[in-house]
């Protein structure tokens, strides 16, 4: 099978392969007609997943807003939106690029008789360079400008020219360049694509105070400012022990063995990290350049992909998700900030004032969103993800690629319902993830009365003081001192 598959790749026919040429031509044309994606791998890339995987209709039309009628509650008017948005598609980080080079060098130095696949990988151009280090790519800019257009189309009463001109929109970002650039692309999508202001200097916008992104890492990178998280997770070598164990698991060993055979390299030269990197190259080639037939994808089938997805999910679960309480508790300042924005709008609306800040857009990382979602009790499986339960977790809720792909976005939309029968029903909050309705865990409904939300999450409003949550309590002989 692999021989036939190997013969099905476009390649320069060699003397001893002339016979295969006709087969190759048939197969490559067949492969092209079969589909434009790596065979069944694209939904297993975890946090390296492109946004289109959660909204496939965007592949045809990146500006399409679907199901608008289903998304908005009848007889209610949106009066505020507060969003947390992951940056758009990015280059690999410096750390990952080093692993890419190591993996490719391992293949390039192969000599003697090599398979078609190895030859193709040897011919592949290692075009990634250290300077790229996680920066936003062109596709990432488009992710953001298109998202801005779609959100404004979904909530036109919030995204109005007047509000733009009156600066009633705020754009907060993490200090990382990919987030700052994502914010600028989002604003550009709003101003130029949606509102149609020309890009030229004579644009009406010149009299607008430029909508500069406001950097706030305490909000968008709260994990960097939480001593308890840094000590117990980030800087604790044993915190990801389940990840380390899974790298040695039978499932992982089977993938390593298979790739070693395919590449004809000693297993000892390979590792779970290097193989995960080869898998991620397939994901980056697709996400960044829309290359659907990268030779790197030909190393893997869906069984391998499920194992490698779980490896990434284990990291996200224990480093950012439900694994350790401090992961989610460290995000409660961000949740409180979101809630305070909603509460301010309710207060203004109740006193018949114009809502002063109807649009609040906040740009961060997968590690901004995952702890916040965990804090809200979302995507929590009954059993923790461990190195031992890969098989029983095959239908798990916590699949990072389905939750926080590039450009993922969580939106709290506050509605005023003037036909409400009781004052309690007048203000309702709607939850959307990646432009789709998301149910609150306590009610299994995507709409929640504002007062009910306050009751359900009150323990996170009054009972989560970030200074106390993040304090490192150091026991000593006489008493416990907070550092
Ligand atoms: O494995 P890498 O270096 O890509 O990990 C990145 C994070 O990428 P992710 O694991 O989420 O795919 C990156 O998150 P992002 O949302 O900004 O892409 C994070 O900022 C970066 O520090 C790396 O995370 P790590 O936990 O430090 O490995």
């Amino acid at each position: 099978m692999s021989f036939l598959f190997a013969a099905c790749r476009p390649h320069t026919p060699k003397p001893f392969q002339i016979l295969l040429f006709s087969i190759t031509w048939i197969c490559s044309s067949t492969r092209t007609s079969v589909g434009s994606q790596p065979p069944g791998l694209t939904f297993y890339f975890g946090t390296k997943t492109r946004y289109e995987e959660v909204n496939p209709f965007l592949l045809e039309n990146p500006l399409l807003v679907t199901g608008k009628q289903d998304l908005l509650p009848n007889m209610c008017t949106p009066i505020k939106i507060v969003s947390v948005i992951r940056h758009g598609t990015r280059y690999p980080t410096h750390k990952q690029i080093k692993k890419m080079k190591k993996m490719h060098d391992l293949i390039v130095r192969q000599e003697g008789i090599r398979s078609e696949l190895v030859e193709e990988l040897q011919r592949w151009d290692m075009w990634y360079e250290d300077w790229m280090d996680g920066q936003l790519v062109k596709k990432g800019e488009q992710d953001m400008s298109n998202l801005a257009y779609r959100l404004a189309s979904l909530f036109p009463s919030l995204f109005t020219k007047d509000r733009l001109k009156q600066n009633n929109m705020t754009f907060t970002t993490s200090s990382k360049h990919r987030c700052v650039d994502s914010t600028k692309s989002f604003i550009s999508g709003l101003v130029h694509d949606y509102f149609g202001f020309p890009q030229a200097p004579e644009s009406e916008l010149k009299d607008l105070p430029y909508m500069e992104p406001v950097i706030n890492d305490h909000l968008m990178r709260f994990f960097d400012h939480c001593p308890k998280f840094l000590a117990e997770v980030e800087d604790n070598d044993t915190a990801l022990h389940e990840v380390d164990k899974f790298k040695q698991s039978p499932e992982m060993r089977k993938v390593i063995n298979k790739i070693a055979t395919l590449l004809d390299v000693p297993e000892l030269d390979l590792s779970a990290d290097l193989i995960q990197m080869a898998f991620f190259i397939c994901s980056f080639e697709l996400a960044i350049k829309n290359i659907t037939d990268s030779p790197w994808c030909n190393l893997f089938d869906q069984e391998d992909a499920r194992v490698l997805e779980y490896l990434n999910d284990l990291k996200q679960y224990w480093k950012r998700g439900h694994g350790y309480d401090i992961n989610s508790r460290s995000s409660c300042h961000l949740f409180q900030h979101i809630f305070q924005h909603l509460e301010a709008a309710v207060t203004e609306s109740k006193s018949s004032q114009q809502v002063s800040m109807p649009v609040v857009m906040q740009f961060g990382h997968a590690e901004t969103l995952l702890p916040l979602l965990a804090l809200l009790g979302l995507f929590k499986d009954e059993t923790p993800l461990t190195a031992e339960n890969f098989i029983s977790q095959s239908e798990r809720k916590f699949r990072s690629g389905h939750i926080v792909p590039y450009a993922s976005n969580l939106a709290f939309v506050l509605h005023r319902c003037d036909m409400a029968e009781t004052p309690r029903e007048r203000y309702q909050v709607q939850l959307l993830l990646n432009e789709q309705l998301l149910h609150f865990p306590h009610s299994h409904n995507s709409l929640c009365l504002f007062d009910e939300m306050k009751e359900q999450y009150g323990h996170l409003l009054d009972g989560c003081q970030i200074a106390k949550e993040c304090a490192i309590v150091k026991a000593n002989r006489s008493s416990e001192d907070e550092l």
Side-chain angles (χ1 to χ4, degrees):
M1 170 60 185
S2 57
F3 173 72
L4 179 62
F5 194 59
C8 285
R9 255 177 298 290
H11 74 299
T12 310
K14 295 190 167 170
F16 68 88
Q17 288 173 328
I18 293 295
L19 170 64
L20 283 179
F21 186 71
S22 52
I23 299 174
T24 302
W25 181 79
I26 293 167
C27 294
S28 60
S29 58
T30 308
R31 278 190 72 227
T32 310
S33 60
V34 162
S36 60
Q37 313 297 347
L41 305 181
T42 55
F43 219 173
Y44 297 97
F45 291 142
T47 49
K48 273 66 171 182
T49 299
R50 60 181 182 174
Y51 190 69
E52 290 79 2
E53 297 305 326
V54 296
N55 286 316
F57 55 84
L58 295 176
L59 286 168
E60 295 299 319
N61 177 356
L63 300 180
L64 187 62
V65 175
T66 62
K68 190 165 180 173
Q69 64 289 349
D70 302 333
L71 285 177
L72 302 178
N74 296 328
M75 314 305 286
C76 296
T77 307
I79 59 172
K80 182 151 189 170
I81 180 170
V82 185
S83 285
V84 181
I85 301 171
R86 184 185 179 198
H87 56 76
T89 307
R90 64 167 175 80
Y91 286 117
T93 56
H94 177 65
K95 174 176 69 175
Q96 297 284 13
I97 291 170
K98 276 171 64 177
K99 290 181 198 169
M100 281 180 173
K101 286 176 180 168
K102 186 175 177 183
M103 184 63 184
H104 191 232
D105 290 347
L106 196 64
I107 295 169
V108 164
R109 64 171 178 251
Q110 290 279 77
E111 294 177 345
I113 295 178
R114 288 148 288 167
S115 70
E116 269 302 301
L117 179 51
V118 170
E119 286 191 336
E120 217 172 350
L121 289 167
Q122 289 180 329
R123 289 195 297 268
W124 177 78
D125 172 35
M126 172 56 198
W127 61 280
Y128 298 94
E129 296 171 12
D130 291 352
W131 63 264
M132 296 173 176
D133 193 20
Q135 295 198 62
L136 196 70
V137 298
K138 191 72 189 158
K139 172 60 169 54
E141 293 172 6
Q142 294 161 358
D143 293 336
M144 288 293 108
S145 54
N146 292 338
L147 175 64
Y149 187 97
R150 295 196 304 270
L151 287 179
S153 307
L154 194 54
F155 300 106
S157 65
L158 294 177
F159 293 85
T160 64
K161 267 190 183 178
D162 286 346
R163 288 192 163 133
L164 182 77
K165 291 183 174 181
Q166 294 151 18
N167 244 353
N168 293 144
M169 304 181 182
T170 63
F171 303 90
T172 305
T173 178
S174 141
S175 59
K176 289 287 184 184
H177 38 61
R178 54 182 168 274
C179 296
V180 175
D181 294 341
S182 289
T183 311
K184 290 179 177 174
S185 297
F186 187 96
I187 293 170
S188 175
L190 211 46
V191 170
H192 302 300
D193 303 343
Y194 183 72
F195 288 118
F197 286 103
Q199 304 263 5
E202 68 272 7
S203 140
E204 288 174 52
L205 276 181
K206 65 181 183 303
D207 57 357
L208 273 180
Y210 178 59
M211 294 193 295
E212 271 294 333
V214 175
I215 290 176
N216 184 334
D217 278 346
H218 275 275
L219 272 182
M220 297 290 96
R221 292 184 64 85
F222 49 78
F223 38 87
D224 282 346
H225 302 272
C226 181
K228 184 178 169 81
F229 170 77
L230 295 174
E232 296 184 3
V233 184
E234 181 71 54
D235 301 332
N236 174 2
D237 293 341
T238 63
L240 301 186
H241 60 85
E242 293 296 342
V243 180
D244 299 333
K245 272 189 337 194
F246 190 68
K247 289 178 182 178
Q248 307 305 325
S249 67
E251 295 88 356
M252 196 70 237
R253 299 282 353 142
K254 184 178 175 187
V255 177
I256 293 172
N257 177 271
K258 176 200 161 179
I259 303 300
T261 305
L262 268 180
L263 297 177
D264 193 19
V265 298
E267 263 194 55
L268 288 176
D269 288 358
L270 288 173
S271 68
D273 283 352
L274 284 177
I275 286 171
Q276 184 183 47
M277 196 60 251
F279 189 57
F280 283 161
I281 296 175
C282 168
S283 75
F284 283 118
E285 297 283 275
L286 177 69
I288 297 172
K289 288 186 167 182
N290 199 30
I291 292 174
T292 57
D293 60 353
S294 167
W296 293 98
C297 306
N298 295 334
L299 284 168
F300 305 100
D301 61 23
Q302 271 196 0
E303 185 184 353
D304 309 325
R306 277 191 284 272
V307 173
L308 292 164
E309 177 197 32
Y310 193 70
L311 177 62
N312 187 18
D313 282 349
L314 274 172
K315 173 207 169 180
Q316 302 300 340
Y317 179 88
W318 289 100
K319 187 166 187 178
R320 307 296 179 188
H322 295 285
Y324 298 107
D325 285 348
I326 188 58
N327 297 350
S328 53
R329 301 295 289 182
S330 63
S331 73
C332 71
H333 172 49
L334 174 57
F335 175 71
Q336 289 162 1
H337 178 81
I338 292 166
F339 191 86
Q340 283 154 15
H341 262 295
L342 299 176
E343 190 160 48
V346 169
T347 304
E348 288 166 333
S349 175
K350 279 181 175 175
S351 53
S352 305
Q353 292 172 26
Q354 178 87 7
V355 171
S356 54
M357 202 56 74
V359 174
V360 176
M361 297 286 124
Q362 304 170 120
F363 297 79
H365 306 264
E367 63 266 27
T368 312
L369 273 166
L370 285 173
L372 179 61
L373 291 164
L375 188 73
L376 296 173
L378 290 161
F379 305 107
K380 182 166 187 163
D381 294 286
E382 282 177 24
T383 311
L385 275 59
T386 67
E388 280 76 32
N389 61 14
F390 163 71
I391 294 170
S392 61
Q393 291 285 15
S394 60
E395 299 306 316
R396 63 188 179 280
K397 295 174 190 173
F398 188 84
R399 293 185 69 182
S400 59
H402 301 197
I403 303 167
V404 284
Y406 297 125
S408 46
N409 49 93
L410 179 67
F412 296 80
V413 183
L414 177 66
H415 293 264
R416 189 184 62 241
C417 306
D418 292 326
M419 308 300 280
E421 291 175 5
T422 66
R424 182 174 163 82
E425 292 171 316
R426 191 169 166 77
Y427 294 97
Q428 305 193 25
V429 180
Q430 183 179 43
L431 200 52
L432 292 101
L433 179 68
N434 303 330
E435 303 167 74
Q436 298 167 31
L437 292 177
L438 179 63
H439 288 172
F440 287 92
H442 71 279
S443 63
H444 302 296
N445 191 320
S446 58
L447 258 185
C448 178
L449 304 185
F450 175 75
D451 288 346
E452 182 188 331
M453 186 176 164
K454 196 166 185 175
E455 292 151 9
Q456 286 296 329
Y457 292 106
H459 64 289
L460 299 179
L461 299 171
D462 311 325
C464 186
Q465 303 306 319
I466 200 67
K468 189 173 180 57
E469 295 292 332
C470 288
I472 297 176
V473 179
K474 183 169 176 280
N476 65 20
R477 277 192 299 281
S478 57
S479 65
E480 282 200 342
D481 298 323
E482 285 201 356
L483 286 183

